[in-house]
Amino acid sequence: MLDQSKPVYQRLRDVIASAILDGRYRDGDVLPSVRTLAAEEGANPLTVAKAYQTFQDEGLVTVKRGVGMFVAEGATDRLRALMREDFLTNVWPPVAEQMRRIGLDARTLLDLSDA
């Protein structure tokens, strides 16, 4: 589920990251062009380019001029580690606090997810 409070380029980044982590794009695979992804997501091509630029800045994608943009080797593992760190630092603490507040334990959550 996308966080609507985030800027559009960050939501697009989340879409791309999810596709990589879900295996739709593997290390070495070509990513959709800026125009293609913009059309698919109903976004401005400049916004898509900004989302892709964040991946370039982090070394998660490589650009081959005239050919396209590719998922960098090792990007899936690095992306997973970055997202895990973000989850543990920013997402989990308020969730854990809310769980404590309402008396919900991890075992109950695990039992619900198995149902």
Side-chain angles (χ1 to χ4, degrees):
M1 178 173 282
L2 296 177
D3 181 351
Q4 296 299 316
S5 68
K6 288 182 178 180
V8 175
Y9 82 93
Q10 287 181 339
R11 292 195 311 254
L12 287 168
R13 187 186 190 291
D14 292 345
V15 166
I16 299 160
S18 292
I20 292 169
L21 292 175
D22 291 345
R24 289 192 304 261
Y25 304 112
R26 299 182 188 282
D27 293 1
D29 284 355
V30 67
L31 291 166
S33 71
V34 167
R35 290 181 190 267
T36 299
L37 188 60
E40 288 174 3
E41 296 297 327
N44 182 310
L46 293 174
T47 306
V48 172
K50 186 173 182 176
Y52 274 155
Q53 184 64 49
T54 66
F55 284 105
Q56 272 185 273
D57 294 345
E58 295 174 7
L60 298 170
V61 300
T62 58
V63 177
K64 296 180 183 174
R65 296 256 182 239
V67 179
M69 191 168 301
F70 295 81
V71 178
E73 291 302 320
T76 303
D77 290 338
R78 287 195 318 270
L79 183 58
R80 185 172 286 116
L82 287 169
M83 291 185 77
R84 184 179 297 127
E85 181 180 334
D86 178 65
F87 178 83
L88 292 172
T89 302
N90 299 310
V91 177
W92 179 247
V95 170
E97 179 59 33
Q98 181 69 3
M99 288 173 63
R100 280 190 288 279
R101 192 176 291 126
I102 64 174
L104 185 61
D105 63 34
R107 172 57 34 210
T108 302
L109 288 177
L110 290 173
D111 289 345
L112 287 172
S113 67
D114 290 338

